[in-house]
Amino acid sequence: MSVSVTDDAAVRHILIDRPDRMNAVDKDALHRLADAIESAGADPDVRTIVLSGTGRAFCAGGDLDVEDPLSVENTASTSDAATRCISAIVAVPRPVLAAVRGPAVGVGVSLALAADFTVVRSDAFFSMPFTSIGLMPDGGATALVAASVGRAVAMRMSLLGERLSATDAARMGLVAAVHEPDVFEAELAKLTARLSRISIESLALTKLAVNDSSLTELGDAFARERAGQIRLTTTDSFRDAIAAFTAKRTRPETGERTGSDHVGS
Ligand SMILES: C/C=C/C(=O)SCCNC(=O)CCNC(=O)[C@H](O)C(C)(C)COP(=O)(O)OP(=O)(O)OC[C@H]1O[C@@H](n2cnc3c(N)ncnc32)[C@H](O)[C@@H]1OP(=O)(O)O
């Protein structure tokens, strides 16, 4: 099972639960996440949703170890699953907190930024190494990142796959704040407690209004990314990247198996 759900009073914890693969997600996991988010939104006893990962990563992005990563069918259905999952986070009538510990990579960045609060531990980093494996960002990332940091940093992250540390992510406005490990859980609990004291209806309408006016490009982004990703699936670059990943070989372009550089701070 790659997604687990637990309740702590009125807080629904949804966990990406595949620590041996750094919580990489395939299409089934994305659908399970979407199911869990939609079901939390329909439960009157749930006031806030916390999305996080088990172990030392938030989410290492799309699963590169699936049966047929080079098939157009896999790309299309994974892209549809990511669209469904990100749309569920944006539309669910409850505040969603992404608790980001460790890496948020690829679609992991979209999961973190689609949330209403991205609560970040100081060991977190954000990276979109899509172009280094011959793909393009998906999961709405082309809209979500630009909506958070502006075009200049969005281009560095999207085109170069540059990695943003937690501190740089906060400094550049990708996330609101970073917390040291010793206070991270307490800060998370403080935020869920504050939200629990506010009217659910008021939070729901406010969240949906903010998202409707700030994420106006999201629907178009999903469609553009899906078409682009399908086209890129059949390229030599992607085939080479998957071969390198499977063989645990570093690639000269990146010096890593897939890889990303740090954004200079
Ligand atoms: C359609 C696709 C959309 C996308 O999202 S494209 C982006 C896909 N994601 C990536 O390219 C990221 C790949 N992963 C990494 O770069 C690194 O991992 C991390 C930076 C996240 C963490 O690095 P470290 O702490 O050194 O861990 P580790 O030894 O690389 O990973 C532990 C195990 O997890 C597996 N794993 C990591 N990411 C993925 C993935 N995305 N898909 C499948 N498996 C993954 C590895 O292979 C390894 O496994 P083993 O222990 O057998 O060597």
Side-chain angles (χ1 to χ4, degrees):
M1 189 60 180
S2 54
V3 173
S4 353
V5 175
T6 54
D7 284 331
D8 178 8
V11 182
R12 172 74 43 94
H13 289 271
I14 301 175
L15 218 63
I16 312 169
D17 194 7
R18 205 181 167 214
D20 57 325
R21 293 272 158 220
M22 304 297 275
N23 300 321
V25 285
D26 61 9
K27 53 177 172 283
D28 291 341
L30 288 163
H31 279 302
R32 267 188 232 127
L33 278 173
D35 290 343
I37 290 156
E38 286 168 6
S39 129
D43 187 334
D45 293 332
V46 173
R47 302 187 67 98
T48 52
I49 300 169
V50 176
L51 176 63
S52 59
T54 306
R56 60 191 181 89
F58 175 68
C59 171
D63 188 349
L64 299 174
D65 207 16
V66 290
E67 202 171 308
D68 192 2
L70 299 171
S71 84
V72 164
E73 290 72 23
N74 178 64
T75 298
S77 54
T78 305
S79 180
D80 291 342
T83 295
R84 184 183 160 221
C85 185
I86 300 301
S87 303
I89 295 172
V90 169
V92 69
R94 298 288 185 280
V96 179
L97 285 64
V100 184
R101 309 168 182 88
V105 181
V107 77
V109 173
S110 299
L111 293 169
L113 297 186
D116 308 308
F117 298 88
T118 312
V119 185
V120 177
R121 202 169 68 176
S122 54
D123 64 346
F125 66 80
F126 297 85
S127 152
M128 302 200 299
F130 293 92
T131 57
S132 72
I133 58 172
L135 294 180
M136 66 178 286
D138 63 5
T142 55
L144 289 166
V145 177
S148 308
V149 288
R151 195 166 158 268
V153 177
M155 283 299 184
R156 295 196 73 89
M157 292 183 74
S158 305
L159 295 182
L160 299 173
E162 282 186 346
R163 190 184 276 193
L164 273 194
S165 67
T167 317
D168 284 344
R171 190 168 56 79
M172 293 176 185
L174 190 77
V175 301
V178 179
H179 305 292
E180 292 304 322
D182 56 338
V183 296
F184 180 77
E185 305 302 330
E187 291 293 336
L188 197 60
K190 244 191 256 175
L191 188 51
T192 55
R194 269 181 81 179
L195 288 164
S196 293
R197 292 194 289 271
I198 304 172
S199 139
I200 290 188
E201 291 76 16
S202 183
L203 289 174
L205 291 179
T206 305
K207 163 190 173 150
L208 299 179
V210 172
N211 281 346
D212 278 351
S213 52
S214 60
L215 296 176
T216 50
E217 294 292 316
L218 193 56
D220 289 342
F222 286 136
R224 277 192 291 267
E225 291 167 0
R226 183 184 196 276
Q229 209 72 297
I230 286 172
R231 183 163 162 193
L232 292 166
T233 299
T234 55
T235 59
D236 289 345
S237 298
F238 184 52
R239 192 172 37 247
D240 290 351
I242 289 298
F245 184 83
T246 308
K248 300 190 186 247
R249 191 167 23 89
T250 56
R251 302 171 66 225
E253 301 92 310
T254 62
E256 295 183 24
R257 279 167 72 188
T258 58
S260 59
D261 298 325
H262 291 265
V263 171
S265 45

